[in-house]
Amino acid sequence: ALNEIAVSRQLSKGEQVLAKGEVCHEMYFVVSGGLRGAYTVQEKDVTCWISLDGSFATSFASLVTGDLSHESIMAIEDTEVFV
């Protein structure tokens, strides 16, 4: 089961788990709630994806290459994830 290889983590609405410009080292499985990937264009916040119950979320390019992330990831509501 997932709880044998990953750790459960509770996130509060608005909590950021990855900031733009950081290297992503984790992949998240959303048990309940939701995560949002976003970036800023001309001082406007743009959503590039949303992951809800039963889906995975990460900054894939950063996770795979070790490059800095172009997006931030935050909880859009109180959320439980496995990391």
Side-chain angles (χ1 to χ4, degrees):
L2 195 53
N3 62 350
E4 294 174 4
I5 59 170
V7 176
S8 177
R9 185 169 163 195
Q10 300 293 325
L11 305 172
S12 299
K13 180 179 180 178
E15 185 175 343
Q16 186 168 285
V17 294
L18 179 72
K20 178 184 174 186
E22 294 180 339
V23 175
C24 183
H25 298 287
E26 299 175 318
M27 179 173 283
Y28 304 92
F29 178 77
V30 180
V31 176
S32 64
L35 295 177
R36 171 181 175 259
Y39 58 93
T40 304
V41 175
Q42 298 177 350
E43 298 182 25
K44 292 187 179 185
D45 199 34
V46 177
T47 298
C48 48
W49 53 262
I50 293 177
S51 293
L52 301 174
D53 300 7
S55 61
F56 287 93
T58 191
S59 178
F60 188 75
S62 178
L63 182 68
V64 171
T65 66
D67 292 341
L68 301 179
S69 175
H70 296 287
E71 63 199 341
S72 58
I73 301 175
M74 74 273 323
I76 57 175
E77 58 185 333
D78 290 346
T79 300
E80 179 186 3
V81 295
F82 276 111
V83 182

Short mmCIF file of all heavy atoms in Angstrom, two decimals, residues 25-82:
data_model
loop_
_atom_site.label_atom_id
_atom_site.label_comp_id
_atom_site.label_asym_id
_atom_site.label_seq_id
_atom_site.Cartn_x
_atom_site.Cartn_y
_atom_site.Cartn_z
N HIS A 25 11.81 18.16 -5.49
CA HIS A 25 12.36 16.86 -5.11
C HIS A 25 11.27 15.85 -4.75
O HIS A 25 11.59 14.74 -4.34
CB HIS A 25 13.30 17.02 -3.91
CG HIS A 25 14.48 17.88 -4.18
ND1 HIS A 25 15.54 17.49 -4.96
CD2 HIS A 25 14.76 19.15 -3.79
CE1 HIS A 25 16.43 18.45 -5.03
NE2 HIS A 25 15.98 19.48 -4.33
N GLU A 26 10.00 16.25 -4.86
CA GLU A 26 8.91 15.39 -4.39
C GLU A 26 7.79 15.29 -5.41
O GLU A 26 7.56 16.21 -6.20
CB GLU A 26 8.35 15.94 -3.08
CG GLU A 26 9.38 15.98 -1.97
CD GLU A 26 8.87 16.63 -0.70
OE1 GLU A 26 8.17 17.67 -0.79
OE2 GLU A 26 9.17 16.09 0.37
N MET A 27 7.10 14.15 -5.35
CA MET A 27 5.87 13.97 -6.10
C MET A 27 4.77 13.77 -5.05
O MET A 27 4.99 13.09 -4.04
CB MET A 27 5.95 12.76 -7.02
CG MET A 27 4.67 12.53 -7.81
SD MET A 27 4.82 11.22 -9.03
CE MET A 27 5.73 12.08 -10.28
N TYR A 28 3.61 14.33 -5.28
CA TYR A 28 2.51 14.28 -4.33
C TYR A 28 1.36 13.46 -4.90
O TYR A 28 1.01 13.63 -6.06
CB TYR A 28 2.01 15.70 -4.02
CG TYR A 28 3.10 16.60 -3.53
CD1 TYR A 28 3.83 17.39 -4.41
CD2 TYR A 28 3.43 16.65 -2.18
CE1 TYR A 28 4.86 18.21 -3.97
CE2 TYR A 28 4.45 17.47 -1.73
CZ TYR A 28 5.17 18.23 -2.63
OH TYR A 28 6.18 19.03 -2.18
N PHE A 29 0.79 12.60 -4.07
CA PHE A 29 -0.45 11.91 -4.42
C PHE A 29 -1.54 12.53 -3.57
O PHE A 29 -1.47 12.51 -2.34
CB PHE A 29 -0.36 10.41 -4.16
CG PHE A 29 -1.65 9.70 -4.46
CD1 PHE A 29 -2.01 9.42 -5.77
CD2 PHE A 29 -2.52 9.34 -3.44
CE1 PHE A 29 -3.21 8.80 -6.07
CE2 PHE A 29 -3.72 8.70 -3.72
CZ PHE A 29 -4.06 8.42 -5.04
N VAL A 30 -2.55 13.10 -4.20
CA VAL A 30 -3.62 13.79 -3.49
C VAL A 30 -4.65 12.76 -3.02
O VAL A 30 -5.33 12.13 -3.82
CB VAL A 30 -4.30 14.85 -4.39
CG1 VAL A 30 -5.41 15.56 -3.62
CG2 VAL A 30 -3.28 15.84 -4.92
N VAL A 31 -4.74 12.58 -1.71
CA VAL A 31 -5.73 11.68 -1.11
C VAL A 31 -7.07 12.38 -1.06
O VAL A 31 -8.10 11.84 -1.47
CB VAL A 31 -5.29 11.25 0.31
CG1 VAL A 31 -6.35 10.38 0.96
CG2 VAL A 31 -3.95 10.52 0.25
N SER A 32 -7.07 13.61 -0.56
CA SER A 32 -8.28 14.42 -0.52
C SER A 32 -7.88 15.88 -0.60
O SER A 32 -6.81 16.26 -0.14
CB SER A 32 -9.09 14.16 0.76
OG SER A 32 -8.35 14.55 1.89
N GLY A 33 -8.72 16.68 -1.21
CA GLY A 33 -8.41 18.09 -1.38
C GLY A 33 -7.91 18.37 -2.78
O GLY A 33 -8.31 17.71 -3.74
N GLY A 34 -6.98 19.32 -2.89
CA GLY A 34 -6.47 19.67 -4.21
C GLY A 34 -5.21 20.50 -4.15
O GLY A 34 -4.99 21.26 -3.22
N LEU A 35 -4.38 20.31 -5.17
CA LEU A 35 -3.17 21.11 -5.35
C LEU A 35 -3.27 21.86 -6.68
O LEU A 35 -3.90 21.39 -7.61
CB LEU A 35 -1.92 20.21 -5.36
CG LEU A 35 -1.59 19.48 -4.08
CD1 LEU A 35 -0.37 18.59 -4.29
CD2 LEU A 35 -1.33 20.46 -2.94
N ARG A 36 -2.61 22.99 -6.73
CA ARG A 36 -2.64 23.85 -7.91
C ARG A 36 -1.23 24.25 -8.29
O ARG A 36 -0.44 24.66 -7.44
CB ARG A 36 -3.46 25.09 -7.56
CG ARG A 36 -3.44 26.20 -8.56
CD ARG A 36 -4.30 27.36 -8.00
NE ARG A 36 -4.24 28.52 -8.84
CZ ARG A 36 -3.50 29.59 -8.60
NH1 ARG A 36 -2.77 29.66 -7.50
NH2 ARG A 36 -3.51 30.60 -9.43
N GLY A 37 -0.91 24.11 -9.57
CA GLY A 37 0.35 24.60 -10.10
C GLY A 37 0.10 25.94 -10.76
O GLY A 37 -0.86 26.10 -11.51
N ALA A 38 0.95 26.91 -10.47
CA ALA A 38 0.73 28.26 -11.01
C ALA A 38 2.06 28.96 -11.27
O ALA A 38 3.07 28.63 -10.66
CB ALA A 38 -0.11 29.08 -10.05
N TYR A 39 2.02 29.92 -12.16
CA TYR A 39 3.17 30.77 -12.44
C TYR A 39 2.67 32.20 -12.62
O TYR A 39 1.47 32.44 -12.72
CB TYR A 39 3.96 30.28 -13.65
CG TYR A 39 3.15 30.19 -14.93
CD1 TYR A 39 3.12 31.26 -15.82
CD2 TYR A 39 2.42 29.06 -15.24
CE1 TYR A 39 2.37 31.19 -16.99
CE2 TYR A 39 1.67 28.98 -16.40
CZ TYR A 39 1.65 30.05 -17.27
OH TYR A 39 0.92 29.98 -18.42
N THR A 40 3.58 33.15 -12.67
CA THR A 40 3.21 34.56 -12.77
C THR A 40 3.62 35.11 -14.13
O THR A 40 4.74 34.88 -14.58
CB THR A 40 3.89 35.38 -11.66
OG1 THR A 40 3.55 34.82 -10.39
CG2 THR A 40 3.47 36.83 -11.69
N VAL A 41 2.67 35.78 -14.77
CA VAL A 41 2.93 36.46 -16.05
C VAL A 41 2.45 37.89 -15.91
O VAL A 41 1.28 38.13 -15.60
CB VAL A 41 2.17 35.76 -17.22
CG1 VAL A 41 2.35 36.55 -18.50
CG2 VAL A 41 2.62 34.34 -17.39
N GLN A 42 3.35 38.84 -16.10
CA GLN A 42 3.02 40.27 -16.00
C GLN A 42 2.24 40.55 -14.71
O GLN A 42 1.18 41.19 -14.74
CB GLN A 42 2.26 40.74 -17.23
CG GLN A 42 3.07 40.60 -18.50
CD GLN A 42 2.29 41.01 -19.73
OE1 GLN A 42 1.08 41.22 -19.70
NE2 GLN A 42 2.99 41.10 -20.84
N GLU A 43 2.75 40.03 -13.62
CA GLU A 43 2.20 40.22 -12.28
C GLU A 43 0.82 39.61 -12.09
O GLU A 43 0.10 39.93 -11.14
CB GLU A 43 2.18 41.71 -11.91
CG GLU A 43 3.56 42.34 -11.87
CD GLU A 43 3.55 43.79 -11.46
OE1 GLU A 43 2.61 44.21 -10.76
OE2 GLU A 43 4.50 44.50 -11.83
N LYS A 44 0.41 38.69 -13.00
CA LYS A 44 -0.86 37.98 -12.84
C LYS A 44 -0.58 36.52 -12.56
O LYS A 44 0.29 35.90 -13.17
CB LYS A 44 -1.72 38.11 -14.10
CG LYS A 44 -2.24 39.51 -14.32
CD LYS A 44 -3.21 39.55 -15.47
CE LYS A 44 -3.71 40.97 -15.64
NZ LYS A 44 -4.75 41.06 -16.64
N ASP A 45 -1.33 35.96 -11.62
CA ASP A 45 -1.20 34.56 -11.24
C ASP A 45 -1.97 33.70 -12.25
O ASP A 45 -3.17 33.91 -12.45
CB ASP A 45 -1.78 34.39 -9.83
CG ASP A 45 -1.31 33.14 -9.15
OD1 ASP A 45 -0.16 32.74 -9.39
OD2 ASP A 45 -2.10 32.57 -8.39
N VAL A 46 -1.29 32.76 -12.89
CA VAL A 46 -1.90 31.92 -13.92
C VAL A 46 -1.85 30.46 -13.47
O VAL A 46 -0.79 29.93 -13.16
CB VAL A 46 -1.15 32.06 -15.27
CG1 VAL A 46 -1.75 31.14 -16.32
CG2 VAL A 46 -1.14 33.50 -15.74
N THR A 47 -3.01 29.82 -13.43
CA THR A 47 -3.08 28.39 -13.08
C THR A 47 -2.72 27.57 -14.30
O THR A 47 -3.29 27.75 -15.37
CB THR A 47 -4.50 28.02 -12.61
OG1 THR A 47 -4.81 28.77 -11.44
CG2 THR A 47 -4.62 26.54 -12.31
N CYS A 48 -1.76 26.65 -14.14
CA CYS A 48 -1.39 25.78 -15.28
C CYS A 48 -1.95 24.38 -15.11
O CYS A 48 -2.10 23.66 -16.10
CB CYS A 48 0.11 25.76 -15.52
SG CYS A 48 1.15 25.51 -14.10
N TRP A 49 -2.28 23.96 -13.89
CA TRP A 49 -2.93 22.67 -13.67
C TRP A 49 -3.52 22.62 -12.27
O TRP A 49 -3.13 23.38 -11.39
CB TRP A 49 -1.98 21.49 -13.89
CG TRP A 49 -0.69 21.56 -13.12
CD1 TRP A 49 0.52 22.00 -13.59
CD2 TRP A 49 -0.47 21.20 -11.75
NE1 TRP A 49 1.46 21.94 -12.58
CE2 TRP A 49 0.88 21.44 -11.45
CE3 TRP A 49 -1.29 20.70 -10.74
CZ2 TRP A 49 1.43 21.20 -10.19
CZ3 TRP A 49 -0.74 20.45 -9.49
CH2 TRP A 49 0.61 20.70 -9.23
N ILE A 50 -4.47 21.70 -12.10
CA ILE A 50 -5.06 21.40 -10.79
C ILE A 50 -5.11 19.89 -10.65
O ILE A 50 -5.52 19.20 -11.58
CB ILE A 50 -6.47 22.01 -10.66
CG1 ILE A 50 -6.39 23.53 -10.65
CG2 ILE A 50 -7.17 21.50 -9.39
CD1 ILE A 50 -7.74 24.23 -10.61
N SER A 51 -4.68 19.39 -9.49
CA SER A 51 -4.77 17.96 -9.19
C SER A 51 -5.70 17.77 -8.01
O SER A 51 -5.51 18.37 -6.96
CB SER A 51 -3.39 17.40 -8.86
OG SER A 51 -2.56 17.41 -9.99
N LEU A 52 -6.71 16.92 -8.20
CA LEU A 52 -7.71 16.66 -7.16
C LEU A 52 -7.58 15.22 -6.67
O LEU A 52 -6.67 14.49 -7.06
CB LEU A 52 -9.10 16.93 -7.73
CG LEU A 52 -9.32 18.36 -8.25
CD1 LEU A 52 -10.67 18.47 -8.93
CD2 LEU A 52 -9.18 19.38 -7.13
N ASP A 53 -8.53 14.81 -5.82
CA ASP A 53 -8.51 13.48 -5.19
C ASP A 53 -8.09 12.39 -6.17
O ASP A 53 -8.64 12.29 -7.27
CB ASP A 53 -9.90 13.12 -4.67
CG ASP A 53 -10.44 14.10 -3.64
OD1 ASP A 53 -9.81 15.14 -3.40
OD2 ASP A 53 -11.51 13.81 -3.07
N GLY A 54 -7.14 11.57 -5.76
CA GLY A 54 -6.74 10.41 -6.54
C GLY A 54 -5.77 10.69 -7.67
O GLY A 54 -5.52 9.82 -8.49
N SER A 55 -5.19 11.89 -7.70
CA SER A 55 -4.24 12.19 -8.78
C SER A 55 -2.88 12.60 -8.21
O SER A 55 -2.75 12.91 -7.04
CB SER A 55 -4.80 13.28 -9.69
OG SER A 55 -5.03 14.46 -8.97
N PHE A 56 -1.89 12.60 -9.09
CA PHE A 56 -0.54 12.98 -8.71
C PHE A 56 -0.28 14.43 -9.10
O PHE A 56 -0.88 14.95 -10.04
CB PHE A 56 0.49 12.08 -9.42
CG PHE A 56 0.55 10.70 -8.86
CD1 PHE A 56 -0.21 9.68 -9.41
CD2 PHE A 56 1.36 10.40 -7.78
CE1 PHE A 56 -0.17 8.40 -8.91
CE2 PHE A 56 1.42 9.12 -7.27
CZ PHE A 56 0.66 8.10 -7.83
N ALA A 57 0.67 15.05 -8.39
CA ALA A 57 1.07 16.42 -8.70
C ALA A 57 2.56 16.58 -8.45
O ALA A 57 3.09 16.04 -7.47
CB ALA A 57 0.28 17.41 -7.84
N THR A 58 3.22 17.31 -9.31
CA THR A 58 4.63 17.65 -9.14
C THR A 58 5.00 18.70 -10.17
O THR A 58 4.24 18.97 -11.10
CB THR A 58 5.54 16.41 -9.27
OG1 THR A 58 6.85 16.74 -8.84
CG2 THR A 58 5.59 15.89 -10.69
N SER A 59 6.17 19.26 -10.04
CA SER A 59 6.75 20.07 -11.10
C SER A 59 7.65 19.11 -11.87
O SER A 59 8.82 18.93 -11.55
CB SER A 59 7.55 21.24 -10.53
OG SER A 59 8.14 21.97 -11.57
N PHE A 60 7.07 18.45 -12.87
CA PHE A 60 7.72 17.31 -13.51
C PHE A 60 9.09 17.65 -14.10
O PHE A 60 10.06 16.94 -13.87
CB PHE A 60 6.80 16.72 -14.60
CG PHE A 60 7.32 15.44 -15.16
CD1 PHE A 60 7.23 14.27 -14.43
CD2 PHE A 60 7.91 15.40 -16.40
CE1 PHE A 60 7.72 13.07 -14.93
CE2 PHE A 60 8.41 14.22 -16.92
CZ PHE A 60 8.32 13.05 -16.18
N ALA A 61 9.18 18.72 -14.85
CA ALA A 61 10.46 19.08 -15.48
C ALA A 61 11.54 19.29 -14.42
O ALA A 61 12.67 18.83 -14.57
CB ALA A 61 10.30 20.31 -16.36
N SER A 62 11.22 19.98 -13.36
CA SER A 62 12.18 20.23 -12.29
C SER A 62 12.55 18.93 -11.57
O SER A 62 13.72 18.69 -11.27
CB SER A 62 11.61 21.23 -11.30
OG SER A 62 12.51 21.46 -10.24
N LEU A 63 11.57 18.08 -11.31
CA LEU A 63 11.81 16.81 -10.63
C LEU A 63 12.77 15.94 -11.43
O LEU A 63 13.69 15.34 -10.89
CB LEU A 63 10.49 16.08 -10.40
CG LEU A 63 10.56 14.75 -9.66
CD1 LEU A 63 10.96 14.95 -8.21
CD2 LEU A 63 9.22 14.03 -9.74
N VAL A 64 12.57 15.87 -12.74
CA VAL A 64 13.36 14.98 -13.60
C VAL A 64 14.75 15.55 -13.90
O VAL A 64 15.74 14.82 -13.87
CB VAL A 64 12.60 14.71 -14.92
CG1 VAL A 64 13.47 13.98 -15.92
CG2 VAL A 64 11.35 13.89 -14.63
N THR A 65 14.84 16.85 -14.16
CA THR A 65 16.11 17.44 -14.59
C THR A 65 16.94 18.03 -13.46
O THR A 65 18.14 18.22 -13.60
CB THR A 65 15.87 18.57 -15.61
OG1 THR A 65 15.17 19.64 -14.96
CG2 THR A 65 15.10 18.07 -16.81
N GLY A 66 16.28 18.37 -12.34
CA GLY A 66 16.98 19.05 -11.26
C GLY A 66 17.10 20.55 -11.49
O GLY A 66 17.74 21.26 -10.73
N ASP A 67 16.45 21.05 -12.56
CA ASP A 67 16.45 22.48 -12.85
C ASP A 67 15.47 23.20 -11.91
O ASP A 67 14.60 22.57 -11.32
CB ASP A 67 16.04 22.75 -14.29
CG ASP A 67 17.07 22.28 -15.30
OD1 ASP A 67 18.25 22.08 -14.91
OD2 ASP A 67 16.70 22.11 -16.48
N LEU A 68 15.58 24.50 -11.84
CA LEU A 68 14.67 25.29 -11.03
C LEU A 68 13.26 25.22 -11.61
O LEU A 68 13.08 25.22 -12.83
CB LEU A 68 15.14 26.74 -10.95
CG LEU A 68 16.53 26.96 -10.36
CD1 LEU A 68 16.88 28.44 -10.38
CD2 LEU A 68 16.64 26.39 -8.97
N SER A 69 12.29 25.18 -10.72
CA SER A 69 10.90 25.10 -11.14
C SER A 69 10.42 26.45 -11.70
O SER A 69 10.79 27.50 -11.18
CB SER A 69 10.02 24.72 -9.95
OG SER A 69 8.66 24.75 -10.31
N HIS A 70 9.60 26.38 -12.73
CA HIS A 70 9.00 27.58 -13.30
C HIS A 70 7.62 27.85 -12.70
O HIS A 70 6.95 28.80 -13.07
CB HIS A 70 8.85 27.44 -14.82
CG HIS A 70 10.16 27.32 -15.52
ND1 HIS A 70 11.01 28.39 -15.68
CD2 HIS A 70 10.79 26.25 -16.06
CE1 HIS A 70 12.09 27.99 -16.31
NE2 HIS A 70 12.00 26.70 -16.55
N GLU A 71 7.20 26.98 -11.79
CA GLU A 71 5.87 27.10 -11.21
C GLU A 71 5.94 26.93 -9.69
O GLU A 71 6.93 26.43 -9.17
CB GLU A 71 4.93 26.03 -11.79
CG GLU A 71 5.37 24.63 -11.47
CD GLU A 71 4.75 23.58 -12.39
OE1 GLU A 71 3.73 23.86 -13.01
OE2 GLU A 71 5.31 22.49 -12.46
N SER A 72 4.90 27.34 -9.04
CA SER A 72 4.75 27.07 -7.61
C SER A 72 3.59 26.08 -7.46
O SER A 72 2.75 25.96 -8.35
CB SER A 72 4.47 28.36 -6.84
OG SER A 72 3.30 28.99 -7.33
N ILE A 73 3.59 25.37 -6.34
CA ILE A 73 2.52 24.42 -6.05
C ILE A 73 1.96 24.75 -4.68
O ILE A 73 2.72 24.88 -3.70
CB ILE A 73 3.03 22.96 -6.06
CG1 ILE A 73 3.63 22.61 -7.44
CG2 ILE A 73 1.91 21.99 -5.70
CD1 ILE A 73 4.28 21.23 -7.49
N MET A 74 0.61 24.87 -4.61
CA MET A 74 -0.02 25.18 -3.33
C MET A 74 -1.35 24.44 -3.19
O MET A 74 -1.94 24.02 -4.19
CB MET A 74 -0.22 26.69 -3.17
CG MET A 74 -1.31 27.31 -3.98
SD MET A 74 -0.93 27.87 -5.66
CE MET A 74 0.66 28.52 -5.62
N ALA A 75 -1.78 24.30 -1.94
CA ALA A 75 -3.07 23.65 -1.65
C ALA A 75 -4.20 24.64 -1.93
O ALA A 75 -4.13 25.80 -1.51
CB ALA A 75 -3.11 23.19 -0.20
N ILE A 76 -5.23 24.18 -2.64
CA ILE A 76 -6.37 25.05 -2.93
C ILE A 76 -7.48 24.89 -1.88
O ILE A 76 -8.46 25.62 -1.89
CB ILE A 76 -6.93 24.82 -4.35
CG1 ILE A 76 -7.33 23.37 -4.57
CG2 ILE A 76 -5.92 25.28 -5.38
CD1 ILE A 76 -8.01 23.11 -5.91
N GLU A 77 -7.31 23.91 -1.01
CA GLU A 77 -8.19 23.70 0.14
C GLU A 77 -7.41 22.84 1.12
O GLU A 77 -6.30 22.41 0.82
CB GLU A 77 -9.49 23.01 -0.29
CG GLU A 77 -9.30 21.68 -0.98
CD GLU A 77 -10.62 21.11 -1.51
OE1 GLU A 77 -11.67 21.42 -0.98
OE2 GLU A 77 -10.55 20.34 -2.47
N ASP A 78 -7.93 22.58 2.29
CA ASP A 78 -7.27 21.67 3.21
C ASP A 78 -7.10 20.35 2.48
O ASP A 78 -8.06 19.83 1.91
CB ASP A 78 -8.08 21.49 4.49
CG ASP A 78 -8.07 22.75 5.36
OD1 ASP A 78 -7.25 23.66 5.12
OD2 ASP A 78 -8.91 22.82 6.28
N THR A 79 -5.88 19.82 2.47
CA THR A 79 -5.53 18.71 1.59
C THR A 79 -4.68 17.68 2.32
O THR A 79 -3.80 18.05 3.10
CB THR A 79 -4.75 19.24 0.36
OG1 THR A 79 -5.59 20.17 -0.33
CG2 THR A 79 -4.34 18.13 -0.59
N GLU A 80 -4.94 16.41 2.04
CA GLU A 80 -4.07 15.33 2.51
C GLU A 80 -3.36 14.75 1.31
O GLU A 80 -3.99 14.43 0.30
CB GLU A 80 -4.85 14.23 3.22
CG GLU A 80 -3.95 13.10 3.68
CD GLU A 80 -4.70 11.91 4.27
OE1 GLU A 80 -5.94 11.91 4.27
OE2 GLU A 80 -4.03 10.96 4.71
N VAL A 81 -2.03 14.65 1.41
CA VAL A 81 -1.23 14.07 0.33
C VAL A 81 -0.32 12.99 0.89
O VAL A 81 -0.02 12.96 2.09
CB VAL A 81 -0.35 15.14 -0.38
CG1 VAL A 81 -1.19 16.17 -1.09
CG2 VAL A 81 0.63 15.80 0.58
N PHE A 82 0.11 12.10 0.03
CA PHE A 82 1.22 11.22 0.33
C PHE A 82 2.40 11.77 -0.45
O PHE A 82 2.29 12.13 -1.62
CB PHE A 82 0.94 9.77 -0.12
CG PHE A 82 0.17 8.97 0.88
CD1 PHE A 82 -1.12 8.59 0.60
CD2 PHE A 82 0.74 8.59 2.08
CE1 PHE A 82 -1.85 7.83 1.50
CE2 PHE A 82 0.01 7.85 3.00
CZ PHE A 82 -1.29 7.46 2.71
#
